[in-house]
Amino acid sequence: MPTTKKVWLWFIPIALVAAAASSAGVYAYVMRERAHAQHLGAARKVPQAPLLVSVAPMTVNLRSPDGEANMLYVGFNLEVGDEATRKLLELYMPKIRSQLLTALSGQDSSALTTPAGKDALAASILALLRQAMSSEQPDLALLGVLYTDFIVQ
């Protein structure tokens, strides 16, 4: 009988060590999977919707090299980087539209029919809007011009 008691006495510490090792392995596995899931979650973040300021479509007369009467019908959205820029542009929209009408009427109709002409027009619109509209205006976070309507006739 004393020999079976010795076997059981050895079995208890071995079982405790095995249980502790098993628990540590499960804990490490769970923590690794959680970290991996967080990494995937960070990589799969849904992109934030862009902040857009809509500029209502406008029609302007264009100058033409051959003296013909041409018109431009254009509407676009301004993509902005922050809420402060969006609010400021909406606040000054009447002034912006007035400046845009003046700037657009000086465009050459033949240049606007090409993709490069449209890109150049977008760049000139951004340059116009980056000019200060008021004396205490912060820097504007203007990202781009997205055309919604564009007809040269």
Side-chain angles (χ1 to χ4, degrees):
M1 281 278 180
T3 52
T4 55
K5 270 189 175 180
K6 286 182 183 178
V7 171
W8 281 108
L9 289 175
W10 282 100
F11 179 71
I12 292 173
I14 291 173
L16 289 175
V17 168
S22 174
S23 297
V26 168
Y27 178 77
Y29 175 78
V30 168
M31 294 312 259
R32 184 180 49 181
E33 289 299 313
R34 183 178 292 166
H36 183 67
Q38 286 176 347
H39 175 70
L40 287 179
R44 291 186 190 163
K45 283 186 178 176
V46 177
Q48 182 180 357
L51 292 173
L52 300 174
V53 176
S54 180
V55 177
M58 56 184 81
T59 305
V60 295
N61 291 325
L62 297 174
R63 61 184 175 95
S64 127
D66 55 4
E68 288 185 25
N70 291 323
M71 292 184 355
L72 170 66
Y73 176 79
V74 63
F76 52 90
N77 288 319
L78 299 169
E79 186 175 7
V80 297
D82 58 25
E83 190 64 28
T85 299
R86 186 187 68 76
K87 287 180 181 179
L88 186 72
L89 289 176
E90 288 177 351
L91 181 67
Y92 283 95
M93 189 54 68
K95 184 175 183 177
I96 291 169
R97 285 185 55 83
S98 176
Q99 291 174 343
L100 285 171
L101 284 168
T102 304
L104 291 174
S105 65
Q107 298 295 315
D108 182 13
S109 61
S110 60
L112 292 178
T113 58
T114 66
K118 290 178 179 77
D119 291 341
L121 179 62
S124 69
I125 289 171
L126 288 176
L128 174 73
L129 294 175
R130 286 192 173 108
Q131 296 174 2
M133 291 176 256
S134 71
S135 60
E136 297 178 12
Q137 174 181 319
D139 289 335
L140 296 178
L142 293 168
L143 303 177
V145 174
L146 306 171
Y147 293 115
T148 56
D149 303 297
F150 201 96
I151 300 171
V152 177
Q153 203 173 25

